[in-house]
Structure formats: C-alpha cells, structure tokens
C-alpha cells in the first residue's frame, strides 16, 4: 500500500480535489442562473471566455514549470477561479479585463507561490482587487436589471459589447448605461451610500427605482440563489458551516447594532445580506480551504472578522461592496489566528 503526501486543500471526505471543485461549480449554478436572468447574457459569455482563458493560462504555466498539464487541468481549481472572477465583474466588461484579472489570479497569486495549496491569498479576490484599483471605470460599469433597461441588450449585442466595445447599433456601453438617469449609473449599494451622504435617510434611499422590497432589484434573488447553493455545499460536506455562519452573523450584528443606535443612517441587516457579493463571498469565496483558517475556533473568528469588515467598508470605505477587500485582509490574519487557536496537545 502506497502512502501519498500532498499539499492542501485537505478535506475530511472521500472525495478528491477535482470532485470537490466540481461540486463548488455545480452549487454555484443557481446564482449564475439568477445573474443571467436579471442582468442578461453578459455573465454567461464572460464565464465561457474566462474558463477558456483560465485553463489556457494554467496549461501554459504548467508547461513552463515542466509539470504535468493534464493533472493540473483535471483538478478544476483554475475553472473555479475563472468562474468566481467571471461572476464578480460587470457582465459587459471588455474582454481584456477578465484576461488581465486571470493572469494575476493564476500566474501570480497562485503559481508564483507554488501552485494549488500554496497560495496565501484567494486568487480570484486578488485579481478582483487589482482590477478594481487599476480599472475603476470598467469595474463599476454595471448595467441595470433587464426590467429597467431602456436599451435591451440581446445575445449578439452582449458579445459585440464585450469584444468590440459597441453593440450591433454602434452604441457604447456608457451610452446604454445612461439610458435611464440615476438608475444605470450606480449599483444599489453605491446608490444607497450616495443617498445617505447627500442627507437622505435609509428609508428615502430605498425609494429609488432600482430597489426592491429588501435590496436592489435582481440582487435580492441573486443572493438568495447563492444562499441556496451554499447550503447545498454544507449539506454535501464540501465546506463546513463555521465560516459562512460567522461571516453572516458578524455582518448582522454590526449592521443591527448601528441600525439600533443610529436609525436611518445605515442599511438594515437584510439589505446587507441580500446586496452585492454577500452570499457569494460567505459560501464560495471566504471558505477557500487554502487561504482560510484551519482550526474550528479560527474559522469562526475568520468569518466574523470578514463580516465586520464588509460592514465597515460598505459604510465608511471608498468602495460600495467590500467583500474582496475584507477577504484579503482576513487572509493576512490567518497565520496569527491559527497560531492562537490551534488545539492544545493532549496532556499539556
């Protein structure tokens, strides 16, 4: 009988790493379907293109490193990284944006540290932050939900906008986004924060057309869909409950306390839970087995820290969401968290 020694990620499961990655992708399908339904074909096109680019980069790096290419592609880690980045960027972003992001994610954040199991930070979130800082205009060019679009974007229009910058009629993305004043120019989180800074109350901010019952139109159902997929991950024991529950718990506690002591000056806990990348971050990003904490107590602290940081960045930071920055900040703290929460050796 052979004894194999392998790098992380390790999981208490009979499933292999490729199987675990496949399940992550499958459980993300409800969220992908919701995004495509509410925001058009762009997300699906970005996903297909991202997978092609991501797998190509993975194969190229493994060739340069003189490592087996087939085994690297079969572990599906590059596929999951490409998937997460594709659903995190605006649906009609130019093709070169996802290409640059995946170069940072796979070549630098992953293989520069030694490949799968060796990366200190979540590769998809490293790429997202690099893109957001370097190309803020493109990374904030979200379109309104399909129901609010003045200029409908067909499948052919989406392909043309992504690869040429113009739709079939020659209109640019900025012209399409400007079709409805005050709706297409900002995401719900950004519009909410702007309304508060201009003296409106939270109730007045929620009266804007892009808001539904609890959060932004479309974003409510996107987050619920990712929540459903995340619960399936827990049921299948692909991830443990500690990080998602503490993440969402930290966000609820922080937003609840500030809503209690400063009513009308901050978003409600439900608004935070169903906005932006909350559920995607809680179940599919923060739970990365390589860059997250490894101890039980550490995972609870890790998740709660991310939840608190998401609230702080959304409320007072310069970016409307903050999940990516919160995850990277928590990744930096993992060595210290693991050191102080490691189990005590028996007898000591």
């Amino acid at each position: 009988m052979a004894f194999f020694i392998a790098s992380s990620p390790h999981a208490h499961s009979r499933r292999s790493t490729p199987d675990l990655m496949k399940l992550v992708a499958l459980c993300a399908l409800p969220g992908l379907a919701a995004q495509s339904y509410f925001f058009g074909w762009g997300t699906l096109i970005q996903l297909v293109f991202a997978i092609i680019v991501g797998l190509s980069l993975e194969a190229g790096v493994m060739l340069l490193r003189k490592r087996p290419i087939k085994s690297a592609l079969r572990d599906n880690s590059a596929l999951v990284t490409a998937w997460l980045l594709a659903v995190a960027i605006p649906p009609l972003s130019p093709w070169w944006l996802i290409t640059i992001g995946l170069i940072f994610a796979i070549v630098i954040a992953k293989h520069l540290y030694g490949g799968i199991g060796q990366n200190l930070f979540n590769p998809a979130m490293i790429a997202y932050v690099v893109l957001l800082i370097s190309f803020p205009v493109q990374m904030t060019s979200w379109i309104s939900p399909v129901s609010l679009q003045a200029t409908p974007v067909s499948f052919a229009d989406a392909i043309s906008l992504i690869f040429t910058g113009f739709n079939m009629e020659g209109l640019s993305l900025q012209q399409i986004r400007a079709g409805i004043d005050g709706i297409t120019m900002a995401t719900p989180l950004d519009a909410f924060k702007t309304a508060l800074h201009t003296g409106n109350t939270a109730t007045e901010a929620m009266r804007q057309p892009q808001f539904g019952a609890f959060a932004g139109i479309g974003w409510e159902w996107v987050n619920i869909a990712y929540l459903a997929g995340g619960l399936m991950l827990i049921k299948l024991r692909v991830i443990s409950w500690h990080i998602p529950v503490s993440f969402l718990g930290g966000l609820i506690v922080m937003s609840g306390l500030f809503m209690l002591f400063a009513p009308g000056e901050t978003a409600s806990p439900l608004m935070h839970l169903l906005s932006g990348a909350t559920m995607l971050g809680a179940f599919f990003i923060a739970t990365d087995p390589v860059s997250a904490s490894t101890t039980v107590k550490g995972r609870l602290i890790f998740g709660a820290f991310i939840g608190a940081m998401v609230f702080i960045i959304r409320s007072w930071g310069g970016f409307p969401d903050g999940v990516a920055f919160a995850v990277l900040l928590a990744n930096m703290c993992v060595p210290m968290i693991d050191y102080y929460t490691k189990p005590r050796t028996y007898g000591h």
Side-chain angles (χ1 to χ4, degrees), residues 55 58-59 62 67-78 110-111:
L55 295 181
E58 183 83 359
M62 295 305 288
R67 300 287 182 87
I69 295 176
K70 289 185 178 179
S71 59
L73 296 179
R74 287 173 181 170
D75 67 24
N76 296 316
S77 60
K110 180 182 177 182
H111 284 287

Side-chain angles (χ1 to χ4, degrees), residues 118-294:
Q118 306 298 324
N119 50 286
L120 300 178
F121 302 98
N122 186 293
M125 293 301 96
I126 282 283
Y128 181 88
V129 168
V130 167
L131 292 176
L132 185 60
I133 294 174
S134 303
F135 310 102
V137 174
Q138 289 80 8
M139 285 295 289
T140 54
S141 295
W142 286 87
I143 59 173
S144 61
V146 173
S147 60
L148 297 177
Q149 291 176 10
T151 305
V153 180
S154 65
F155 179 76
D157 286 331
I159 293 179
S160 183
L161 282 164
I162 291 171
F163 292 101
T164 70
F166 300 92
N167 70 355
M168 301 300 291
E169 298 178 356
L171 297 177
S172 68
L173 178 58
Q174 296 304 320
Q175 289 174 314
I176 292 174
R177 293 180 65 240
I180 303 178
D181 294 338
I183 294 179
T184 58
M185 293 303 292
T187 61
L189 278 172
D190 195 14
F192 187 89
K193 178 184 288 188
T194 302
L196 291 182
H197 288 171
T198 54
N200 293 301
T201 65
T203 303
E204 291 171 340
M206 290 289 290
R207 291 173 183 166
Q208 298 182 58
Q210 64 265 51
F211 289 96
F214 307 108
I217 293 176
W219 291 103
E220 300 171 334
W221 293 104
V222 169
N223 276 278
I224 290 173
Y226 279 118
L227 171 61
L231 293 176
M232 184 58 66
L233 285 177
I234 295 176
K235 182 178 181 180
L236 294 174
R237 296 187 178 181
V238 176
I239 63 174
S240 65
W241 60 268
H242 304 87
I243 292 176
V245 170
S246 58
F247 179 130
L248 300 178
L251 185 57
I252 291 172
V253 169
M254 288 290 290
S255 56
L257 286 175
F258 277 87
M259 187 177 179
L260 180 64
F261 292 104
E265 299 180 13
T266 184
S268 67
L270 200 55
M271 168 76 176
H272 279 290
L273 291 177
L274 299 179
S275 295
T278 299
M279 296 301 173
L280 177 67
F283 291 96
F284 293 90
I285 295 174
T287 53
D288 175 25
V290 179
S291 57
S293 180
T294 57

Side-chain angles (χ1 to χ4, degrees), residues 243 247 251 286 301-311 322-323 326-327 330-331:
I243 292 176
F247 179 130
L251 185 57
I301 297 171
F302 179 82
F305 176 79
I306 296 175
M309 288 305 302
V310 167
F311 174 80
V323 170
V327 170
N331 290 159

